[in-house]
Amino acid sequence: LAKTTQPISMDSYEGQEVNITCSHNNIATNDYITWYQQFPSQGPRFIIQGYKTKVTNEVASLFIPADRKSSTLSLPRVSLSDTAVYYCLVVLNQAGTALIFGKGTTLSVSS
Amino acid sequence: DTEVTQTPKHLVMGMTNKKSLKCEQHMGHRAMYWYKQKAKKPPELMFVYSYEKLSINESVPSRFSPECPNSSLLNLHLHALQPEDSALYLCASSQGPSGGATDTQYFGPGTRLTVL
C-alpha cells in the first residue's frame, strides 16, 4: 500500500477555508484516496473518497491532480466543530480491504 | 441505520481477568474489523472478518481472541492482558466483498480499555 504524508497539524479560524494536502507518491492504479475524520474518543468517520480530478459532497471537496501523487482535502468555511484529526488513506480498490492509517493532521479551529 | 454499537464504553480489568468486548451492526455488512488505538496515535488494524470468517490477523498476540458468531456480531475476548494493552478498541463494518470499490467502513465509538 502506498504511504501517505500529511502535515502533523494545522490551525485555522472559523469561517476560513482549510486545505489539507496529502502526498502519496507510490499510489497504484487500483488505489483510491480516502479521507476520514476523527474526534477525540470517537471512531473515525468517512468524509470523502476519490480516484481522480475533483469530488465534492456536502462536507468537503477532494482535489486530485492528473498524476495522482498528491491530493487536497478542502473544508469550506470551517467551524469550531471541525476541530479533529483528519486522515488521508490510500485504499485498494477491493471491497473488505483493511484501512492503514497514517499519522493524520490535527486541525484546530479557533474563534 | 448506519450505526455500529460497541459495549461496554469503558472497561477496567486486571491482568488475570477475562473479559469480552462486543460489537454489533444491523446494516447487513459482511466485513467486520477490530482496530486498536493508543492515545494520540492512529488506529491500527488487528483483525478482519469477511463473511464471518477470519481473513486477516495482523500478528496480534493470542491474549486477544476474536469471534464472529453471526453476521451482525463481533466479539473480542481478552485474557491475561498487559498494562500496555490499554487503549481504545474500535470496531468497524463495511459491505465487504460485494461492496465494490467504495467499501466505506463505519466505525463504532470504541471501548476504552484500561488494564491495571
Side-chain angles (χ1 to χ4, degrees):
Chain A
L1 290 172
K3 183 180 174 182
T4 59
T5 303
Q6 51 184 122
I8 296 293
S9 63
M10 293 183 71
D11 296 314
S12 183
Y13 291 97
E14 284 189 290
Q16 289 190 334
E17 177 184 74
V18 171
N19 295 309
I20 306 175
T21 297
C22 177
S23 70
H24 26 78
N25 291 321
N26 297 323
I27 192 167
T29 304
N30 285 342
D31 291 337
Y32 278 67
I33 297 136
T34 306
W35 287 79
Y36 279 75
Q37 172 194 55
Q38 187 176 24
F39 299 111
S41 297
Q42 291 187 29
R45 182 177 74 107
F46 171 86
I47 301 177
I48 197 165
Q49 181 180 66
Y51 186 80
K52 60 181 179 181
T53 63
K54 177 183 173 182
V55 179
T56 297
N57 61 24
E58 63 276 5
V59 177
S61 295
L62 179 60
F63 299 91
I64 305 168
D67 67 6
R68 304 200 330 123
K69 292 184 185 298
S70 66
S71 59
T72 299
L73 174 73
S74 181
L75 304 172
R77 295 181 300 282
V78 294
S79 65
L80 296 175
S81 62
D82 293 315
T83 295
V85 179
Y86 292 82
Y87 293 102
C88 166
L89 297 95
V90 170
V91 181
L92 182 63
N93 178 13
Q94 178 178 307
T97 297
L99 299 178
I100 309 299
F101 288 83
K103 294 181 179 171
T105 297
T106 299
L107 172 65
S108 299
V109 181
S110 305
S111 57
Chain B
D1 180 11
T2 57
E3 191 180 22
V4 175
T5 59
Q6 290 187 245
T7 53
K9 282 191 165 62
H10 301 275
L11 178 63
V12 179
M13 61 186 289
M15 289 190 284
T16 58
N17 292 156
K18 284 186 184 180
K19 296 286 184 184
S20 297
L21 309 184
K22 182 178 171 180
C23 173
E24 199 162 0
Q25 58 87 14
H26 296 287
M27 295 178 276
H29 288 173
R30 303 314 299 265
M32 296 187 77
Y33 312 77
W34 280 115
Y35 291 83
K36 172 183 176 179
Q37 186 173 27
K38 303 279 277 183
K40 301 206 181 294
K41 299 288 186 185
E44 295 177 359
L45 179 72
M46 299 175 74
F47 303 104
V48 181
Y49 271 83
S50 180
Y51 283 96
E52 298 148 53
K53 288 190 175 6
L54 184 65
S55 60
I56 297 177
N57 176 342
E58 288 290 318
S59 303
V60 179
S62 59
R63 57 186 185 269
F64 295 92
S65 175
E67 179 199 17
C68 190
N70 60 56
S71 60
S72 301
L73 266 179
L74 185 66
N75 298 320
L76 186 63
H77 302 298
L78 314 172
H79 174 54
L81 294 194
Q82 304 295 312
E84 58 265 28
D85 296 321
S86 298
L88 181 68
Y89 287 84
L90 294 162
C91 173
S93 72
S94 69
Q95 258 190 291
S98 62
T102 55
D103 190 28
T104 301
Q105 290 192 20
Y106 294 86
F107 284 81
T111 293
R112 176 76 58 191
L113 174 69
T114 303
V115 182
L116 300 177

